[in-house]
């Protein structure tokens, strides 16, 4: 990537190191896609925030209609500062973000993508197709071979600091239920890459760990959520994404079904996933059918005393008030590669 383009991406202002010009503005308009009512296509440049704000300002978004509050993204990146302003707009309006099959979203575009939330901002909601590509660019400055003044270098250093600080500040933003909008582990992955590298969402677990919904996984992968292997996958993806660490294959798991009666239903059942060696409970799952099967889950880590979901009152509270929802793609093996990365 040329210095001028990268420098604009990082700092959102120009320093006269060389003659360079910005690309044309992104295509920001209403979308005919079944996944989203709005779209951003092309490089992110100055003024795109205002164009998007004007487009969505008069629109009444239906919290019950995903499409009406979703924005599709297809961009190789652009100006970092402009992307941050767009991200704040997307977050504040409670919009979800989408990268469709065949679309690429890099750099500044990926930052916008990660600002997607539910309409009440209760938790993140970004939707990636298994045939889309999401890539994060590590900030760096590549200088042309020429002499620079002390002021030039100070400005460049200050700009780099601002770019990194902006990522850290975004990782400090929380949704209304207390979850991180952008996990610090993802920021660490981004900043850990060199100037010629990028970090991509490549696997099922990458998506699970960083709260990205693979919305069309069922269309392109065989998912067997009702099989033992699928249940173990759901437990691993759920537990380790909440732990924010890689899936451990050293822990063998067993699955059993336990019948019980609750305050709200007689003859109910839950699925227990246990450590085969210690017999400790790792996950518990509560499948319910409401037109489609919905699974709520909780998990426990006895080494760190961490728990997720809180299912302790499963006999006295309705299922929708306990646990956390499990996306269907969690039933895939954590190492399953997304379509564009399959060998």
């Amino acid at each position: 990537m040329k210095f001028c383009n990268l420098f604009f991406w990082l700092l959102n202002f120009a320093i006269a190191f060389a003659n360079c010009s910005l690309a044309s503005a992104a295509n920001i308009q209403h979308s005919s896609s079944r996944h989203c009512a709005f779209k951003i296509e092309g490089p992110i440049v100055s003024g795109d925030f205002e164009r998007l704000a004007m487009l969505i300002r008069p629109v009444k978004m239906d919290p019950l209609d995903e499409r009406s509050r979703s924005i599709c993204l297809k961009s190789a990146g652009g100006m970092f500062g402009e992307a941050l302003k767009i991200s704040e707009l997307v977050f504040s309006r409670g919009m979800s973000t989408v990268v469709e099959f065949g679309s690429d979203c890099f750099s500044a575009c990926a930052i916008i993508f990660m600002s997607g939330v539910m309409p009440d901002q209760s938790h993140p909601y970004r939707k990636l197709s298994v045939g889309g590509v999401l890539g994060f660019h590590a900030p760096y400055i590549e200088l042309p071979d020429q002499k620079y003044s002390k002021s030039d270098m100070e400005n460049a250093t200050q700009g780099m600091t601002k770019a990194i600080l902006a990522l850290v500040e975004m990782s400090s933003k929380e949704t209304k239920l207390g979850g991180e909008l952008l996990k610090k582990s993802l920021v660490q992955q981004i900043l850990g890459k060199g100037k010629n590298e990028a970090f991509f969402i490549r696997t099922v677990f990458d998506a699970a760990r960083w709260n990205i919904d693979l919305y069309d996984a069922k269309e392109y992968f065989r998912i067997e959520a009702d099989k033992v292997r699928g249940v173990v996958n759901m437990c691993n993806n759920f537990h380790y994404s909440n732990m924010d660490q890689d899936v451990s294959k050293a822990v063998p798991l067993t699955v059993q079904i336990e019948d019980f009666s609750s305050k709200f239903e007689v003859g109910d059942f839950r699925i227990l996933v246990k450590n085969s060696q210690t017999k400790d409970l790792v996950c518990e799952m509560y499948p319910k059918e409401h037109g489609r099967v919905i699974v709520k889950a909780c998990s426990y880590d006895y080494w760190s005393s961490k728990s997720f979901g809180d299912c302790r009152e499963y006999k006295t509270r309705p299922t929708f008030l306990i646990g956390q929802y499990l996306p269907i793609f969690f039933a895939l093996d954590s190492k399953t590669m997304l379509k564009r990365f399959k060998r």
Side-chain angles (χ1 to χ4, degrees):
M1 181 180 292
K2 291 183 179 180
F3 164 72
C4 291
N5 292 334
L6 180 59
F7 202 72
F8 277 125
W9 177 77
L10 282 172
L11 313 182
N12 202 18
F13 60 82
I15 296 177
F17 285 162
N19 293 322
C20 57
S21 59
L22 285 172
S24 59
N27 180 16
I28 300 175
Q29 60 183 35
H30 291 285
S31 171
S32 60
S33 169
R34 66 188 177 94
H35 298 123
C36 50
F38 312 97
K39 67 178 179 179
I40 296 179
E41 293 185 0
I44 310 301
V45 300
S46 181
D48 283 348
F49 164 77
E50 288 295 338
R51 282 183 278 274
L52 180 61
M54 290 292 292
L55 180 66
I56 69 175
R57 187 173 293 142
V59 178
K60 184 176 181 181
M61 298 179 192
D62 184 352
L64 300 179
D65 179 6
E66 279 191 27
R67 183 186 178 278
S68 74
R69 53 181 174 77
S70 294
I71 181 167
C72 284
L73 302 171
K74 185 177 183 180
S75 172
M79 296 173 69
F80 186 70
E82 197 74 7
L84 287 174
K85 291 194 292 183
I86 294 173
S87 295
E88 184 58 38
L89 176 63
V90 169
F91 179 82
S92 63
R93 285 298 302 268
M95 300 178 70
S96 58
T97 50
V98 186
V99 174
E100 296 182 291
F101 197 100
S103 292
D104 297 340
C105 181
F106 298 121
S107 300
C109 177
I111 297 301
I112 297 172
F113 176 81
M114 294 304 292
S115 66
V117 287
M118 293 294 289
D120 58 356
Q121 298 153 357
S122 57
H123 56 83
Y125 196 21
R126 356 345 138 119
K127 296 172 280 186
L128 173 65
S129 169
V130 297
V133 174
L134 183 67
F136 298 87
H137 215 298
Y140 72 90
I141 296 176
E142 186 173 49
L143 301 176
D145 187 14
Q146 63 185 63
K147 293 183 179 180
Y148 303 97
S149 68
K150 177 182 177 183
S151 176
D152 287 338
M153 297 308 298
E154 288 176 347
N155 286 335
T157 300
Q158 183 181 19
M160 175 67 78
T161 301
K162 287 181 178 180
I164 295 173
L165 180 59
L167 281 175
V168 174
E169 288 177 344
M170 189 173 179
S171 73
S172 300
K173 188 186 290 290
E174 291 190 349
T175 55
K176 289 186 177 178
L177 292 182
E180 294 174 308
L181 180 65
L182 182 67
K183 288 185 178 180
K184 292 179 177 60
S185 60
L186 180 55
V187 175
Q188 183 179 5
Q189 290 285 348
I190 297 169
L191 296 180
K193 297 297 181 181
K195 69 176 185 178
N196 296 319
E197 299 176 300
F199 178 75
F200 294 96
I201 301 301
R202 297 173 179 269
T203 67
V204 161
F205 186 69
D206 287 343
R209 181 174 185 175
W210 289 299
N211 299 318
I212 297 168
D213 182 24
L214 299 178
Y215 69 88
D216 57 355
K218 197 171 182 179
E219 298 177 39
Y220 296 98
F221 292 107
R222 183 179 179 182
I223 300 178
E224 298 179 313
D226 58 340
K227 300 293 196 304
V228 170
R229 185 68 253 170
V231 172
V232 169
N233 289 340
M234 284 192 286
C235 179
N236 278 328
N237 285 318
F238 177 79
H239 180 66
Y240 288 100
S241 63
N242 277 298
M243 289 290 289
D244 197 12
Q245 59 185 231
D246 292 335
V247 175
S248 172
K249 292 298 184 183
V251 180
L253 301 175
T254 57
V255 176
Q256 69 181 72
I257 296 176
E258 179 181 89
D259 295 324
F260 70 93
S261 294
S262 69
K263 179 179 177 180
F264 296 92
E265 191 168 344
V266 177
D268 215 333
F269 77 97
R270 61 180 184 157
I271 301 171
L272 305 179
V273 183
K274 296 183 178 182
N275 183 314
S276 300
Q277 298 171 341
T278 66
K279 307 303 179 184
D280 289 333
L281 181 64
V282 180
C283 297
E284 53 186 292
M285 304 177 191
Y286 298 82
K288 291 291 180 182
E289 187 168 358
H290 301 284
R292 62 187 179 93
V293 176
I294 296 174
V295 181
K296 301 294 286 295
C298 298
S299 71
Y300 309 88
D301 184 71
Y302 291 95
W303 292 102
S304 63
S305 299
K306 292 180 179 179
S307 64
F308 310 97
D310 192 4
C311 294
R312 289 174 295 180
E313 299 178 6
Y314 67 94
K315 289 186 178 181
T316 57
R317 301 181 72 189
T319 304
F320 70 88
L321 291 178
I322 64 172
Q324 296 178 17
Y325 166 69
L326 281 182
I328 188 65
F329 78 88
F330 274 35
L332 292 168
D333 187 277
S334 61
K335 292 183 178 179
T336 301
M337 303 292 289
L338 304 191
K339 288 294 184 180
R340 302 271 289 278
F341 294 98
K342 290 187 74 173
R343 296 174 183 174

